[in-house]
Amino acid sequence: MSRIGKLPIQFASDIKVSANGNVITFAKGKNSVDLDTKGNVGFNLDGDVLTFATLSDSRTHRAFWGTYRALAQNIVTGLTTGYTKALEINGVGYRAAVNGKVLNLQLGFSHDINYELPEGIEAVVEKNVITLKSHDKQALGQSAAEIRSFRPPEPYKGKGVKYAEEHIVRKAGKTSKK
């Protein structure tokens, strides 16, 4: 049995939650997020508490029970506090700048990389750290992964774009014969 699925989700009164068939809509201010359960799990909205239930005891329905509960909790957390992800740029001449909704990256290529930030994601650049902020955990992680993929960190000098909490395992360089 899922221990995650059993837990109820408490949400603040400023978050409006509504259900329409299999779709649960979470809204706060100008941000609105839909969670489509696709009929894989039952849910009950009671005031400011949302609970999930399995449709049967099958393995897939039990898995969906915990998954949709976790997705709903991530949406509520994103709307209340938001999510942030930090990326570090290491390398001589590597730079980043934000121009409106475009992140301009200079990563040692012959051309600049202009990355169009998706809707709902904000970027702030301070020295060599790019901080991404969003209410959508999935879109934030996807954007951070795409930015990192432009120049992943290499194991010899550590040059490239890496997550702030990421540890790069370094390799020894070539040794000369004597």
Side-chain angles (χ1 to χ4, degrees):
M1 294 300 267
S2 172
R3 294 188 181 108
I4 298 293
K6 290 180 184 178
L7 301 173
I9 298 174
Q10 285 283 130
F11 48 88
S13 60
D14 58 345
I15 296 178
K16 306 287 185 250
V17 180
S18 60
N20 184 10
N22 292 328
V23 179
I24 307 169
T25 303
F26 300 87
K28 179 180 180 184
K30 62 180 170 55
N31 297 327
S32 178
V33 182
D34 291 335
L35 176 63
D36 188 3
T37 62
K38 296 181 175 53
N40 293 317
V41 68
F43 58 88
N44 183 21
L45 182 60
D46 196 25
D48 62 347
V49 176
L50 180 65
T51 56
F52 288 90
T54 60
L55 295 179
S56 70
D57 267 348
S58 72
R59 187 177 180 96
T60 56
H61 282 152
R62 288 194 322 254
F64 283 131
W65 183 29
T67 300
Y68 282 113
R69 191 264 176 212
L71 290 173
Q73 181 64 52
N74 288 343
I75 291 170
V76 170
T77 304
L79 289 175
T80 54
T81 60
Y83 291 102
T84 60
K85 205 161 238 328
L87 297 162
E88 287 181 9
I89 300 175
N90 296 321
V92 177
Y94 290 9
R95 284 190 273 288
V98 179
N99 299 327
K101 293 291 286 176
V102 176
L103 180 65
N104 180 278
L105 300 164
Q106 296 173 351
L107 298 174
F109 297 115
S110 61
H111 59 282
D112 291 358
I113 298 170
N114 292 318
Y115 180 73
E116 185 78 32
L117 292 169
E119 190 66 35
I121 294 181
E122 300 169 5
V124 177
V125 177
E126 293 178 4
K127 287 194 172 186
N128 66 337
V129 178
I130 303 169
T131 305
L132 300 174
K133 298 176 186 174
S134 179
H135 64 88
D136 188 355
K137 189 175 186 178
Q138 189 275 331
L140 181 71
Q142 182 67 36
S143 295
E146 288 173 2
I147 292 169
R148 183 184 181 275
S149 72
F150 293 134
R151 180 71 90 173
E154 52 96 11
Y156 297 101
K157 293 183 180 178
K159 290 170 54 174
V161 180
K162 71 178 191 85
Y163 299 117
E165 67 277 358
E166 183 179 10
H167 176 72
I168 305 301
V169 178
R170 296 291 179 89
K171 289 183 178 180
K174 294 180 181 177
T175 57
S176 63
K177 277 189 178 178
K178 289 194 173 186

